[in-house]
Amino acid sequence: MTQMISLIITSTLIINIFLAIALIFLERRDPASTWAWLLVLFFIPILGFIIYLLLGRQLREKHLFRWEGRSKIGIEKLIAYQLEAIEDDSFEFLKTDTESYYDMIYLHLRNNHSVLTQDNDVQVFTDGNDKFESLLEDLEHAKDHIHIQYYIFRLDGIGQRIVDILIRKAKAGVKVRMLFDDIGSRGLHVKHFQELTNSGGEVAAFFPATLPLINPRLNYRNHRKLVIIDGRVGYIGGFNVGDEYLGLSKKFGYWRDTHLRMEGSAVHPLQTRFILDWNQAFTKTHIQYDERFFPAIPRKGTVGVQIVSSGPDSQWENIKDGYLKMIFVAKDYIYIQTPYFIPDTSVLDALRIACLSGVDVRIMIPNKPDHMFVYWATYSNVGILLKAGAKVYIYENGFIHAKQIVVDDQVSTVGTANIDVRSFRLNFEVNAFIYDREKSHELAEKFEQDIQYSTELTYEMYVNRPRLIKVKESISRLLSPIL
């Protein structure tokens, strides 16, 4: 028995040594993440090994999303034109407030091939009931196709209402495609949409489990939430599909989020994003290029928009780079709403420098955790910025899930990416970057309205927090690079 225990201990130590070597020399992670994983492996050797298998392995498929149809919609030519026009100062900006952010626009063009569209009408939703009533109405009016993608999709009240419409539309000849994430929508399976598929719809799960009830890919999830209807109307933002997003959860109460409805040329990049994701997930038949997916859209408005995607398949952390650029150019204020505030050193330093430079930095986070370690890591990070002069608000009217940043009433972003390592590096995300004074001001006003339902966390309150909270923060902060 003693020899068996000794053999197990020796084997575990050997496995840990090889994993440590892999982390340091083969995975080529950033140093903070490497040290965090080494702590996990050596302090909880057996359980740590299992956790590493579930969460630690890096994604090897660097070219997951390919679509030959991109060339047919002329996107490469448009990107090349916009890059060249900005470089030689001949780009035609329709608004001066858009032109003043030409360098950020250029960044997203080079980083992510994100074309700038300037003819959009954008509607902001911060209440789930309003968002879903609008979505249900648009789905009812669909004539050609519906493309719908959510990280979490629940077959409860609102989810079933959506599915019922999709079934009716599919029977009427509208092409319906639904994509959900296998981990985010845990317990949901393609077989649960049998009536929809029997009616002509198609349903796929992103990175589905290879074994029954077990999915070892807990990282690298598709966190995007997109709906495209007839290639003319698009939705993007933070709301998933479920009754809790209507404020019906006893645990979370009212659900405060931000979502956008778009009409205009920005719908085309949303469509492209969906097709790329769909073709990766649905192995039976891929979506081929068809003009019906990219119809000519008359000018709907004057809002400038870039759709920016990021994920572990990206060379750069595209959305994080956009966040950093917004922080760098801020002169008056930065308003941030996020459920998880676990920035890496670059973002934390940028915000600290902005505070010390006199920029009014305000951060709003939830008053209750949906992930315990993440919550205390968030608390720890805002504490650092409080000392630099940032204002931090704890949202008390339920749960705040919005992922939005507004700078100087001129530029803003809304989407799926939180301010944490998971969104920056591990999950597939998508954000809309908005260059418009009126729309950015609207988002800033909504932030200021939310302050009325929040408690300000002062530096004095943070310093005098109980010792137990300090211990929780310290542990969570050590693990934050892998949360």
Side-chain angles (χ1 to χ4, degrees), residues 221-280:
R221 307 316 310 179
N222 198 318
H223 198 231
R224 296 164 182 152
K225 297 101 175 164
L226 299 173
V227 179
I228 301 94
I229 300 165
D230 294 341
R232 299 179 182 276
V233 175
Y235 285 82
I236 179 176
F239 281 107
N240 289 292
V241 174
D243 286 347
E244 66 263 43
Y245 305 103
L246 299 174
L248 301 178
S249 167
K250 292 182 180 179
K251 177 182 178 181
F252 294 110
Y254 181 74
W255 192 278
R256 167 65 175 88
D257 219 321
T258 306
H259 218 89
L260 305 177
R261 178 188 185 274
M262 295 184 179
E263 289 186 86
S265 297
V267 177
H268 288 179
L270 292 179
Q271 182 81 284
T272 303
R273 180 69 269 161
F274 174 88
I275 292 174
L276 288 167
D277 287 4
W278 176 267
N279 285 352
Q280 191 285 324

Side-chain angles (χ1 to χ4, degrees), residues 178-332:
M178 172 182 283
L179 176 61
F180 62 88
D181 185 83
D182 191 66
I183 291 292
S185 304
R186 189 178 289 106
L188 195 64
H189 193 272
V190 172
K191 65 183 180 183
H192 293 136
F193 298 94
Q194 193 68 50
E195 187 176 358
L196 176 57
T197 56
N198 289 343
S199 301
E202 294 178 329
V203 181
F206 187 86
F207 280 1
T210 53
L211 299 173
L213 304 178
I214 300 175
N215 193 328
R217 273 180 162 167
L218 296 183
N219 281 335
Y220 313 124
R221 307 316 310 179
N222 198 318
H223 198 231
R224 296 164 182 152
K225 297 101 175 164
L226 299 173
V227 179
I228 301 94
I229 300 165
D230 294 341
R232 299 179 182 276
V233 175
Y235 285 82
I236 179 176
F239 281 107
N240 289 292
V241 174
D243 286 347
E244 66 263 43
Y245 305 103
L246 299 174
L248 301 178
S249 167
K250 292 182 180 179
K251 177 182 178 181
F252 294 110
Y254 181 74
W255 192 278
R256 167 65 175 88
D257 219 321
T258 306
H259 218 89
L260 305 177
R261 178 188 185 274
M262 295 184 179
E263 289 186 86
S265 297
V267 177
H268 288 179
L270 292 179
Q271 182 81 284
T272 303
R273 180 69 269 161
F274 174 88
I275 292 174
L276 288 167
D277 287 4
W278 176 267
N279 285 352
Q280 191 285 324
F282 195 75
T283 57
K284 294 180 182 178
T285 57
H286 285 181
I287 298 177
Q288 303 299 325
Y289 171 78
D290 195 312
E291 290 183 359
R292 63 194 280 204
F293 299 133
F294 301 93
I297 301 176
R299 180 177 295 276
K300 292 292 183 177
T302 59
V303 178
V305 175
Q306 279 180 298
I307 303 299
V308 180
S309 303
S310 67
D313 62 318
S314 304
Q315 182 179 5
W316 312 108
E317 296 170 5
N318 304 320
I319 294 177
K320 188 193 84 169
D321 289 350
Y323 286 176
L324 281 169
K325 188 65 176 176
M326 291 175 70
I327 296 168
F328 292 153
V329 301
K331 292 181 173 60
D332 298 322

Side-chain angles (χ1 to χ4, degrees), residues 12-23:
T12 302
L13 290 174
I14 292 173
I15 290 172
N16 276 348
I17 290 171
F18 277 106
L19 282 174
I21 292 172
L23 278 169

